[in-house]
Structure formats: C-alpha cells, structure tokens
Amino acid sequence: MPDRRCVVGFFVLLGCSPPSPTGVSLDRTIREPSGVTTSPRYPGVLWTHGDSGAGNWLFAIDRQGHVIRRLRVKGTINVDWEDITHDDRGNLWLGDTGNGDSGRRDLSVHRIPEPDPYADVDEVYVDRSVDYFFPEQRRFGNKLADYDSEALFWWRGDLWLLTKHRSDDWTRLYRFPSLEGGEVGLELVARFDLGGYIDPGTRQRWSGQVTAAELALEGEYAGRYWAMLCYDGVFVFAVPASGDGGELFGEVVSWIAFDSGVTGQVEALTWDGGDLVVINEARAVFRIEDPLTRTRYP
C-alpha cells in the first residue's frame, strides 16, 4: 500500500499527485505501474501495466509517458501482474508473478502477440498461458519463504525469473524449462547476494529486494548487457558469451546507487537504446544515461 504522507517536492503518495522530479510521468490512468518493456517493432513505444487491483489493462506509451493506446487484456485476470518483457519472436510476456506472502498456487506468465499500438482496437488477447511452481517450495503462506517475484527477462530463447526476498538480501534466478503451456516446475540456475554490495556514497549495504530486470535486446547494447533493479539502485551485468545461465551474475559492470528520496519506490525497468528507463509506483519516469559508467543517480 502507498504511504499516506505527501512530501512536497517528492512523490510518496500516488493520490497526492506530486510532480515528477524529472518532469516526466506516466498518464494518470495508469495505476501503480509495476512493469515496462520497450517495443521491439515500434520505435519510441513502451508497454506498461498496473499492479494488482489496477484492472486488466495494457498501455502503449511514448517516452514522455503519454498513452498511445489502452487495451483490455482478454483471456486472463490481473491477480498480481508484476513485470512485462518481450521475446525475439514478436510477443510480449506478462508476469502474474506477485506472491508477497508466498501463498499462491496459481502463478503464471501470459504470452500476448505484440499489437499495433496505432491500430484502432481496444482489446488484446492472451494466446498462451504457462502456469509454474517452485519445485523446492515446501511452505506456503509465509512471507519469509521468499517465493515472490517481480522480474522477468528474455535471453537465448528462454524466459527467466528473479525472486524478491524479504528474509535476506539474496535473489534466485530461475529458467522456464518450457513455454508450451500447461504447468512447469522452474529450474533453479543461480543465486546472487545483493547485500554484498556497498553504496560507495553512504557505505550502506544494499537491499536484496529485486523489482525488475531486462536484457538489452535492441540498440547498441543488444545481447551484451542486462540490468537488475532493486529499491536501492540498479546492477548492470555483462551477458556471458556461453554457459547455461549460471554465469549471468558473473561480471558486474556497474552498480548505480539511487537517492531514494528522489526515486521513491521503483518498480519497473527497461532499456531504451543505451539508456535505462526506470518508473516508480507514483508514475515518475527516470532516464539513466551512461549506465555502464555511472555510480549514482541522480
């Protein structure tokens, strides 16, 4: 739930509608944005959606946050949509992966053929759903079980998922072994300790709560780097030339510490050319230039 305080100059409460620190924010019709991905086919277009309780809406937006098209998603229900990504085959993948108390048994991802955002239509259809579970999970309904997830990305023909923890500073990387439909058990590939990194300015340890991830699929960094968002900042990793995914955490190129008083509760991330675009729950949009060399933002 959003904080009920309204801090002048910042954006803690969605309902207060404070101005974005960057001057760029999403349209007010987009409630609690929790995922964003760049369109691979339509330059300057991004796709985003709201969190649980925000309805079955998918939005095409421009770089200034203006809505180009609002589409009702048919064929599924927004239980807790947390992230969106795209593959290399013309599809969007929408993650109904939110699982804050680790109690859900209906986790799923949905494939949507990317629509034309400029076409005169108001609906889009899920053409495939994949239910999934964590094979090692033994406890349900316990927040410390750490089976929440808010991060999806596509790499080498596979869909990947990162967990968001509340009991420690780690995240776990999983691969979907199949995307043909039905139910699958995720394959645990690697773990990463976000708390092992120290903010160079404050000397504080980072938080281990991952809220988004994306691999650069277009532009100058295509296939070379991927980024992982947490409340404290962004990690940028080099993409390994080979391996089964366990090497994705192998080379940290940069970690960019946020001033959380400015960035607020960040929930969504994507690449836009060589820049990173980050969106917080209050709809403010941040563009991070030179992400391979930055150490702080802003």
Side-chain angles (χ1 to χ4, degrees):
M1 296 293 293
D3 193 334
R4 291 293 176 184
R5 294 169 297 175
C6 187
V7 180
V8 176
F10 299 113
F11 38 87
V12 179
L13 175 61
L14 183 65
C16 291
S17 300
S20 165
T22 64
V24 180
S25 61
L26 299 189
D27 188 278
R28 290 174 56 84
T29 57
I30 304 172
R31 295 168 50 198
E32 296 190 29
S34 59
V36 65
T37 194
T38 333
S39 168
R41 292 196 295 165
Y42 301 97
V45 173
L46 296 87
W47 295 98
T48 189
H49 60 84
D51 208 332
S52 59
N56 273 41
W57 298 107
L58 179 66
F59 297 87
I61 60 173
D62 64 19
R63 290 187 174 105
Q64 296 302 310
H66 304 135
V67 173
I68 299 169
R69 183 72 55 190
R70 184 176 77 154
L71 299 164
R72 183 180 293 278
V73 179
K74 306 290 284 188
T76 188
I77 298 295
N78 181 355
V79 178
D80 196 357
W81 294 354
E82 287 292 358
D83 203 7
I84 187 171
T85 190
H86 66 273
D87 62 24
D88 51 8
R89 304 165 190 173
N91 302 300
L92 304 175
W93 285 91
L94 183 60
D96 194 348
T97 59
N99 192 20
D101 67 354
S102 295
R104 289 184 62 185
R105 299 174 188 260
D106 60 347
L107 300 166
S108 56
V109 293
H110 307 290
R111 190 178 74 175
I112 301 170
E114 184 181 15
D116 181 348
Y118 303 105
D120 188 17
V121 294
D122 57 10
E123 293 181 344
V124 67
Y125 290 84
V126 168
D127 75 344
R128 182 180 297 175
S129 293
V130 181
D131 301 328
Y132 71 89
F133 63 93
F134 299 93
E136 68 274 22
Q137 185 174 5
R138 298 292 181 267
R139 296 186 300 167
F140 292 83
N142 184 332
K143 287 187 177 182
L144 299 185
D146 294 330
Y147 292 101
D148 188 15
S149 175
E150 300 184 5
L152 291 174
F153 65 96
W154 186 265
W155 180 55
R156 287 189 181 168
D158 290 320
L159 189 63
W160 302 78
L161 175 148
L162 290 158
T163 52
K164 176 182 178 180
H165 291 199
R166 290 170 173 80
S167 69
D168 58 35
D169 292 319
W170 289 75
T171 185
R172 300 189 304 276
L173 174 69
Y174 290 88
R175 185 181 73 90
F176 282 78
S178 170
L179 292 171
E180 295 304 312
E183 185 178 48
V184 300
L186 298 187
E187 176 189 347
L188 177 59
V189 176
R191 296 175 173 85
F192 182 77
D193 181 11
L194 287 84
Y197 283 80
I198 307 296
D199 182 318
T202 66
R203 306 304 301 167
Q204 297 296 310
R205 289 169 61 88
W206 278 31
S207 161
Q209 293 190 313
V210 174
T211 61
E214 192 79 301
L215 184 137
L217 291 176
E218 295 84 31
E220 60 182 303
Y221 296 154
R224 298 168 56 198
Y225 303 101
W226 71 283
M228 181 173 71
L229 179 70
C230 64
Y231 291 133
D232 291 343
V234 176
F235 287 85
V236 179
F237 299 90
V239 173
S242 61
D244 61 2
E247 301 79 10
L248 280 167
F249 292 127
E251 182 183 349
V252 178
V253 176
S254 64
W255 59 93
I256 306 165
F258 288 167
D259 179 346
S260 59
V262 175
T263 55
Q265 185 170 321
V266 288
E267 297 282 345
L269 168 144
T270 193
W271 291 87
D272 186 17
D275 299 343
L276 288 172
V277 173
V278 174
I279 302 173
N280 74 8
E281 202 171 43
R283 302 190 302 273
V285 180
F286 305 90
R287 178 172 291 272
I288 303 175
E289 299 176 342
D290 304 318
L292 304 189
T293 58
R294 290 189 80 120
T295 58
R296 300 194 65 78
Y297 182 86

